[in-house]
Amino acid sequence: MASILDEYEDSLYRSASVPPSRAAVGIPHSGYVNARLEKETPIFNKQRIDFTPPEKINSLVVSSNQLCMSLGKDTLLRIDLGKPDEPNQVELGRKDEAKVYKMFLDHTGSHLLIALNTSECLYLNRSVQKVRALSRWKGHLIESVGWNKFLGTETNTGPILVGTAQGQIYEAEISVSEGSLFSTNPDQYFRMVYVLEEESGPVPVCCLEIERGIEGKFFIIATTQKRLFQFVGKVAEGTEHQGFSSIFAMHADYLPSFREFPATFGFSEIAFYTPKLRSNPRSFAWMMGNGVLYGTLDYSRPDSILSEERVWVYPSDIDITVNKPISIVLTQFHFLLLLPDGVKAVCTLNGQIVFQDLFLEKFGTLTRMIKDPTVQQIWIHTEKVVFRYHVQRESRDVWKMYMNMNKFDLAKEYCKDRPECLDIVLAKEAEHCFQNKRYLESAKCYALTQNYFEEIALKFIEAKQEEALMEFLIKKLSNLKPSEKTQTTLLTTWLTELYLNWLGILEGDSSKRNLYLDTREKFRTFLGSPKNKDCLFNNRTSIYELLASHGDTEHMVYFAVIMQDYERVVAHHCQHDEYDEALSVLSRHRDEKLFYKFSPVLIQHIPKKVVDAWISMGSRLDARNLIPALVNYSQSASTQQINEAIRYMEFCVYQLEETQQAIHNYLLSLYALCRPDSLLSYLEQAGTNPNRIHYDLKYALRLCAEHGHHRACVHIYKVMELYEEAVDLALQVDVDLAKSCADLPEDDEELRKKLWLKIARHVVQEEKDVKKAMACLSSCALLKIEDVLPFFPDFVTIDHFKEAICNSLEDYNKHIEELKREMEEATQSAKRIREDIQEMRNKYGSVEPQEKCAACDFPLLNRPFYLFLCGHMFHYDCLLQAVFPNLPAYKQAKLEDLQKKLAAAVQPSKGHHRPKDADTASLGKGQQSREQIKADIDDIVAAECVYCGELMIRSIDKPFIDPQKYEEEMQSWL
């Protein structure tokens, strides 16, 4: 194990590119460069708005990128932050001394409520320029508004809640008619639903919030100076427009649940954090006299949605009597307090102040801080300056806080995009688990870190935690890249060794049987993992050696199956006499080479099953490669067992229709050895055509002769056309068999007669049966009594074959009479032919001057011509042109030769002067030769009419137009 560890350490150093000096001294190496190239911007980045108000700012509200501020006594400025260069100014139109007390803007940025210090309230819609007084609201100093985020639209607020300075909660609804704006009062109704009280009586309703949970449940949060009330109730589906009166009615007789703190500085304020637009808030922060109560919101709770509550107590530098907080806003991980001279940001995870920002006195007294929930921007204003905070990467250091709180899952969630931080968290979590003896969890975390491999491995080894070490190695192996082959090989080998050690320990302990089975399953999963397949395959020799060294044959076979090393599996089964299992593996994987290799062993023990497996493989197996196994088996087996070999050979011959000579020869040898009856039927079924017989005739003949199968030998002689040998051997078996052989040479009467004489000689001389000899004469028409007589002994009397002699004489007489008749018929035929020839010599035909050649349609008498009995007439050259292409090649050559001779005979002689008599003789000889040549040409050309003779019949399948001239002919018709 130590050597494997050292090897892996060396390879890790090489792959990680760590300087040798660092590695030598064991400096922890995280694998990341933790350097900041530029100064990181703060989470809360303040920006002063380039805006100088003409009058002092009384109030400012922002929502959905819509900003509204009250300037001076009678001016309202509206700015769409998407178009900041197009501000809109609206006059309130008040002539009295009324001042703006507070403003409230809904979540859509459409509905603006302006509360005046004269207990009046004005309304302004984003789409209009005119402010409208809400008459039903008169007489109430508005402290808070709970907007309906579920039913509110740009023209209708839906049912909303309104809190007053006298502790009253009213339900109201404001609607704007799109057709004729303000044709009616915008406030639809204004009715009281509840009164909030403390010990001293009614107190101002500082804040109102409406949230909807699951299953139609609504949560209403209302705060006073010291108390936080929760009203919980269900609103029937479809009745949401009827308001929240039913929820408050449930608490008419008893107080709702509330949280109370003793101290107060005259008011309180609650802030919420909503992660996404149109979703429910996830956390809250309530600023009151004793500090800030903050936590999360759990909508699944039945009575109170406040969860994980904590109180942040004001530090010593915040005195609620001198510099009490003014406002609070809540972000995902911080709440910000607005103090008279600046801002403090407190982390909600650990309660630490992480940010402070002081404002110069020249800007004036800080008035209010608000947050736009849709764009997560924070606004602060004094009477003459407006500031904006951008929240940038608020979660950048959250992972560190969660890590220090041992909330590692949350820490990893917030640094998953920062691998250098994630590595730190994983290392801390691993160390934490290790210290708490949660070794398996520690191993999983360590495997994901960039810490030195050898340090972690030695740590688990020293703690004697092999199971955790295995888990660490498995995770480390799964994280390796495909290119890290050396590390993969080392880890795979080490894990195999650890698994085998652990299995060896557990197997001997019966009390840990379940753990053994579970570990065995994990080991098999490890061996069969697709990720490890290539590595295990490349190093299978080492794995086999490890398995063998531990004597774990079970997993050796399992591993061999995974590696598809079926040869090893089958060999293992054969070595342990598990022949059925070996054959099962062969049959399942159907590898032809393995069948060839192991069949000699298997057939010795389970011949029938092996043959069944061969047959199931069908044509995939080459039976020639199995013959050695069968030969070896048949030499040492009984006749009954040899039948299995015959069964497979018959399958190959009759089912697979094998034609290989070796297969047929081997089947012949088996038949000759054990099944003589099947031998003859096989030979007869193979036929008598030597070209279609697949066995070796000479081998078969020798084999049958060695085993004394004479009938089979006779059949083979017949196939080889050795009829004399066939008859000689057949006479030793059966005369009838010999007779069947004697009639086979049908085209050679002389041989047939010789064979029948052999049979007759055998019958007379060996069997001495005169009657049977006479029967031979009747069986073969070629034999005569005179052919057989020399075979009879001298003492045989004529009485035995008198009848045969008489029959023979009668045959001779018949034959003589038949010859006489044929001679007379021949004489008559010759006479008729002579008469026909004489008649033909005197036959002639007449040709009219206007007759034309049947081929060229020109006048016939212009050139030499032929006249046929059928009436067709042709010029000599036309007939020659029609006949020549259809003549056989030899006749074409002869015709060309005759034409050359005829042309030479016509030419006058150009030799020396000869005597007149000599010239005359020569001329006579030449004329006679020319006439003979012309006659020969006529015999070829004019043998028959080209239109009426056989030539026309033979040309019936020829096309009218020569294919080579078809295109030319077709074009001529266009």
Side-chain angles (χ1 to χ4, degrees):
M1 183 182 297
S3 62
I4 294 176
L5 184 60
D6 294 339
E7 250 185 284
Y8 186 88
E9 177 184 348
D10 294 339
S11 65
L12 190 65
Y13 285 150
R14 290 193 297 271
S15 63
S17 299
V18 183
S21 58
R22 289 174 56 88
V25 297
I27 298 176
H29 170 57
S30 65
Y32 299 104
V33 178
N34 188 14
R36 298 185 179 181
L37 301 181
E38 59 183 21
K39 186 177 180 181
E40 194 171 32
T41 58
I43 295 175
F44 303 100
N45 188 22
K46 183 173 68 175
Q47 175 190 7
R48 178 181 175 180
I49 304 300
D50 187 13
F51 169 72
T52 303
E55 300 179 75
K56 69 176 183 178
I57 303 173
N58 299 321
S59 182
L60 184 146
V61 289
V62 182
S63 183
S64 294
N65 239 12
Q66 301 294 319
L67 183 146
C68 300
M69 64 175 70
S70 170
L71 302 176
K73 177 182 176 182
D74 198 47
T75 303
L76 190 67
L77 185 64
R78 296 187 296 182
I79 301 175
D80 184 348
L81 297 177
K83 304 174 183 177
D85 298 332
E86 301 176 8
N88 176 254
Q89 185 170 316
V90 179
E91 300 297 329
L92 298 181
R94 303 289 298 188
K95 303 298 183 182
D96 53 16
E97 296 298 324
K99 296 181 180 179
V100 174
Y101 176 63
K102 285 185 178 181
M103 293 197 303
F104 308 94
L105 187 62
D106 80 319
H107 63 288
T108 66
S110 301
H111 305 283
L112 176 65
L113 292 175
I114 307 165
L116 304 178
N117 60 356
T118 56
S119 299
E120 294 178 86
C121 192
L122 306 178
Y123 172 75
L124 180 63
N125 190 276
R126 184 169 66 181
S127 59
V128 299
Q129 288 288 108
K130 186 177 179 181
V131 177
R132 183 73 174 177
L134 301 177
S135 58
R136 291 186 174 90
W137 297 40
K138 191 173 183 179
H140 302 283
L141 183 61
I142 306 302
E143 287 285 348
S144 58
V145 175
W147 296 104
N148 194 324
K149 293 178 285 188
F150 318 106
L151 299 177
T153 64
E154 293 183 357
T155 58
N156 189 291
T157 62
I160 61 174
L161 297 178
V162 180
T164 68
Q166 292 78 32
Q168 300 159 337
I169 298 178
Y170 287 86
E171 184 179 84
E173 183 175 359
I174 300 174
S175 179
V176 179
S177 175
E178 296 183 2
S180 55
L181 197 60
F182 297 131
S183 59
T184 57
N185 289 333
D187 49 336
Q188 302 298 305
Y189 61 89
F190 190 77
R191 56 174 175 261
M192 187 175 69
V193 292
Y194 203 80
V195 177
L196 293 182
E197 295 182 353
E198 294 181 356
E199 297 92 337
S200 58
V203 289
V205 181
C206 299
C207 296
L208 282 170
E209 181 74 15
I210 304 171
E211 295 298 338
R212 182 170 61 184
I214 57 177
E215 298 178 354
K217 185 181 291 186
F218 279 83
F219 297 88
I220 299 173
I221 296 176
T223 64
T224 61
Q225 298 174 6
K226 298 192 298 182
R227 291 183 178 180
L228 186 152
F229 295 88
Q230 294 184 72
F231 299 88
V232 182
K234 287 188 176 181
V235 176
E237 186 176 357
T239 63
E240 292 87 349
H241 288 281
Q242 298 179 8
F244 307 102
S245 301
S246 59
I247 297 177
F248 289 101
M250 296 169 59
H251 301 85
D253 299 331
Y254 61 91
L255 284 175
S257 63
F258 64 89
R259 295 293 310 273
E260 184 176 14
F261 290 87
T264 178
F265 44 64
F267 68 95
S268 70
E269 184 175 346
I270 191 168
F272 297 90
Y273 169 70
T274 305
K276 295 180 181 179
L277 188 64
R278 296 183 180 179
S279 63
N280 290 331
R282 290 291 180 264
S283 56
F284 74 97
W286 179 38
M287 180 186 71
M288 39 73 184
N290 289 88
V292 177
L293 176 69
Y294 63 97
T296 59
L297 300 177
D298 185 357
Y299 295 92
S300 62
R301 300 180 66 180
D303 299 325
S304 173
I305 61 173
L306 306 183
S307 177
E308 300 180 11
E309 301 174 41
R310 285 166 289 175
V311 177
W312 183 76
V313 180
Y314 297 127
S316 58
D317 60 341
I318 298 179
D319 187 353
I320 61 174
T321 60
V322 179
N323 60 339
K324 60 184 178 182
I326 302 171
S327 293
I328 185 172
V329 297
L330 180 63
T331 64
Q332 186 177 5
F333 298 107
H334 302 84
F335 62 80
L336 282 75
L337 289 175
L338 180 65
L339 302 171
D341 58 347
V343 175
K344 291 183 183 292
V346 180
C347 178
T348 56
L349 300 178
N350 56 13
Q352 299 295 318
I353 298 175
V354 297
F355 173 78
Q356 296 187 71
D357 192 8
L358 298 177
F359 289 77
L360 300 176
E361 293 181 359
K362 65 177 182 177
F363 297 136
T365 304
L366 298 177
T367 305
R368 182 128 188 260
M369 175 173 62
I370 54 176
K371 186 183 76 168
D372 186 347
T374 59
V375 294
Q376 304 296 328
Q377 291 180 346
I378 300 169
W379 297 78
I380 297 176
H381 74 92
T382 66
E383 291 183 347
K384 51 186 178 180
V385 181
V386 178
F387 296 93
R388 178 171 58 188
Y389 281 98
H390 292 277
V391 183
Q392 297 180 340
R393 296 178 57 235
E394 183 183 5
S395 61
R396 68 183 70 171
D397 294 325
V398 169
W399 64 272
K400 192 180 300 182
M401 300 175 189
Y402 278 130
M403 181 183 70
N404 294 331
M405 297 164 63
N406 292 335
K407 295 183 177 182
F408 299 109
D409 290 338
L410 291 172
K412 287 183 283 189
E413 180 69 23
Y414 286 100
C415 64
K416 59 184 178 182
D417 297 329
R418 300 168 67 184
E420 71 281 0
C421 302
L422 180 62
D423 188 68
I424 297 173
V425 174
L426 289 169
K428 182 70 179 293
E429 181 182 8
E431 185 62 28
H432 175 78
C433 294
F434 192 90
Q435 296 297 332
N436 288 276
K437 301 187 183 303
R438 291 154 46 197
Y439 296 110
L440 285 177
E441 297 177 37
S442 176
K444 294 177 183 179
C445 294
Y446 269 131
L448 299 174
T449 67
Q450 297 295 320
N451 289 18
Y452 281 132
F453 170 84
E454 69 280 5
E455 293 179 359
I456 301 169
L458 289 172
K459 196 170 188 176
F460 287 114
I461 293 173
E462 291 172 358
K464 297 181 180 180
Q465 296 295 323
E466 283 199 8
E467 189 176 0
L469 176 61
M470 290 165 59
E471 185 67 29
F472 169 68
L473 296 178
I474 291 171
K475 293 295 182 182
K476 202 69 178 177
L477 178 62
S478 65
N479 294 331
L480 289 178
K481 300 176 182 178
S483 59
E484 297 174 315
K485 295 183 179 180
T486 303
Q487 292 91 326
T488 302
T489 301
L490 291 171
L491 285 181
T492 302
T493 308
W494 192 4
L495 275 169
T496 303
E497 175 72 18
L498 289 174
Y499 267 121
L500 292 173
N501 286 336
W502 187 238
L503 287 172
I505 295 171
L506 295 176
E507 189 175 13
D509 191 344
S510 58
S511 63
K512 296 181 179 180
R513 178 64 179 172
N514 292 333
L515 180 58
Y516 167 77
L517 295 176
D518 183 58
T519 305
R520 185 183 67 175
E521 188 62 31
K522 288 181 180 179
F523 181 43
R524 293 185 174 184
T525 303
F526 166 74
L527 292 177
S529 171
K531 183 177 178 64
N532 304 331
K533 184 176 181 181
D534 290 340
C535 178
L536 290 170
F537 182 80
N538 294 331
N539 299 279
R540 58 188 183 279
T541 303
S542 300
I543 303 299
Y544 281 133
E545 291 175 356
L546 280 175
L547 293 167
S549 66
H550 285 266
D552 195 340
T553 56
E554 178 184 1
H555 283 106
M556 182 182 292
V557 173
Y558 182 84
F559 179 69
V561 172
I562 292 175
M563 293 294 102
Q564 298 183 357
D565 188 0
Y566 302 117
E567 180 178 351
R568 187 181 293 268
V569 177
V570 176
H572 169 79
H573 288 310
C574 291
Q575 289 171 3
H576 292 79
D577 298 335
E578 299 169 351
Y579 302 109
D580 288 332
E581 289 79 357
L583 183 60
S584 175
V585 174
L586 289 176
S587 302
R588 187 163 55 251
H589 299 287
R590 306 174 73 82
D591 189 329
E592 300 88 347
K593 294 181 180 179
L594 294 183
F595 266 104
Y596 300 147
K597 181 172 182 177
F598 291 100
S599 290
V601 176
L602 295 176
I603 199 170
Q604 298 290 338
H605 301 87
I606 47 173
K608 185 178 185 306
K609 293 181 179 179
V610 171
V611 171
D612 290 339
W614 289 351
I615 292 175
S616 67
M617 288 288 288
S619 59
R620 294 183 61 179
L621 289 178
D622 187 348
R624 291 177 301 174
N625 296 329
L626 297 174
I627 289 177
L630 292 171
V631 170
N632 184 43
Y633 168 68
S634 60
Q635 289 176 351
S636 59
S638 63
T639 303
Q640 184 178 1
Q641 291 172 323
I642 293 177
N643 289 336
E644 294 300 329
I646 294 176
R647 181 162 68 97
Y648 180 66
M649 288 292 104
E650 288 179 339
F651 169 77
C652 295
V653 170
Y654 299 121
Q655 300 296 325
L656 301 182
E657 298 180 353
E658 285 284 357
T659 60
Q660 296 293 332
Q661 191 177 78
I663 297 173
H664 287 263
N665 286 348
Y666 183 60
L667 180 59
L668 263 174
S669 68
L670 294 176
Y671 279 150
L673 182 64
C674 296
R675 292 188 187 176
D677 297 337
S678 299
L679 172 63
L680 187 58
S681 62
Y682 165 78
L683 294 174
E684 291 174 348
Q685 187 173 355
T688 58
N689 188 346
N691 296 325
R692 295 184 179 180
I693 289 177
H694 305 302
Y695 57 85
D696 187 342
L697 289 169
K698 294 180 180 179
Y699 171 77
L701 181 62
R702 184 176 68 253
L703 192 68
C704 294
E706 288 177 357
H707 291 84
H709 303 309
H710 297 306
R711 287 184 179 272
C713 291
V714 170
H715 178 83
I716 297 171
Y717 277 134
K718 291 192 295 183
V719 176
M720 298 172 71
E721 297 183 356
L722 299 175
Y723 302 115
E724 292 190 46
E725 290 82 352
V727 170
D728 290 340
L729 186 58
L731 289 174
Q732 299 178 22
V733 179
D734 185 9
V735 174
D736 292 334
L737 179 61
K739 290 179 180 181
S740 65
C741 296
D743 283 332
L744 291 177
E746 298 176 354
D747 299 333
D748 192 344
E749 291 186 357
E750 183 179 354
L751 178 60
R752 282 172 58 201
K753 184 176 181 180
K754 182 179 180 180
L755 296 177
W756 276 102
L757 286 173
K758 283 179 176 285
I759 297 172
R761 182 193 295 273
H762 175 80
V763 171
V764 173
Q765 295 180 352
E766 300 296 332
E767 297 185 7
K768 303 184 185 302
D769 190 340
V770 178
K771 291 184 178 180
K772 189 178 288 188
M774 294 301 103
C776 291
L777 295 176
S778 62
S779 299
C780 180
L782 299 177
L783 289 183
K784 303 298 179 184
I785 186 60
E786 59 270 26
D787 299 326
V788 180
L789 285 176
F791 302 147
F792 288 95
D794 296 337
F795 55 85
V796 176
T797 63
I798 196 171
D799 294 337
H800 292 90
F801 39 85
K802 180 174 66 175
E803 184 179 355
I805 293 174
C806 293
N807 292 336
S808 178
L809 292 174
E810 288 178 2
D811 289 340
Y812 280 129
N813 288 333
K814 290 179 181 178
H815 185 58
I816 291 170
E817 291 297 327
E818 186 176 349
L819 289 176
K820 287 180 180 181
R821 186 170 59 255
E822 290 177 357
M823 290 174 63
E824 290 177 359
E825 290 177 356
T827 303
Q828 293 297 327
S829 296
K831 182 179 178 181
R832 285 195 297 271
I833 290 172
R834 283 194 296 271
E835 291 175 353
D836 290 342
I837 291 172
Q838 187 63 35
E839 183 181 356
M840 287 296 293
R841 287 176 180 174
N842 300 324
K843 193 168 185 178
Y844 65 92
S846 61
V847 179
E848 299 295 331
Q850 67 272 16
E851 293 290 348
K852 296 182 179 181
C853 175
C856 66
D857 205 30
F858 281 94
L860 185 68
L861 300 177
N862 289 349
R863 300 196 299 274
F865 64 90
Y866 289 100
L867 171 64
F868 291 93
L869 293 176
C870 60
H872 288 114
M873 292 170 281
F874 301 92
H875 288 129
Y876 167 75
D877 54 343
C878 293
L879 182 62
L880 179 64
Q881 185 177 0
V883 171
F884 186 81
N886 298 286
L887 292 174
Y890 74 94
K891 283 191 176 184
Q892 289 181 355
K894 183 177 180 181
L895 182 59
E896 289 177 350
D897 184 55
L898 290 172
Q899 287 177 329
K900 291 179 182 179
K901 288 181 179 180
L902 179 62
V906 172
Q907 297 295 331
S909 176
K910 296 183 180 180
H912 299 289
H913 176 71
R914 294 181 183 179
K916 182 176 180 181
D917 294 340
D919 289 343
T920 304
S922 177
L923 180 62
K925 184 186 268 188
Q927 287 292 340
Q928 184 180 2
S929 176
R930 186 168 58 251
E931 291 298 329
Q932 182 63 40
I933 293 171
K934 290 175 66 177
D936 292 341
I937 292 175
D938 289 342
D939 290 341
I940 298 174
V941 176
E944 60 182 356
C945 177
V946 72
Y947 285 171
C948 302
E950 293 183 5
L951 182 62
M952 181 59 68
I953 297 173
R954 289 197 301 270
S955 64
I956 194 171
D957 59 341
K958 294 184 179 180
F960 290 107
I961 302 174
D962 189 351
Q964 298 179 355
K965 299 181 179 179
Y966 181 81
E967 292 294 334
E968 180 182 350
E969 185 69 22
M970 187 175 65
Q971 292 296 329
S972 67
W973 282 72
L974 298 178

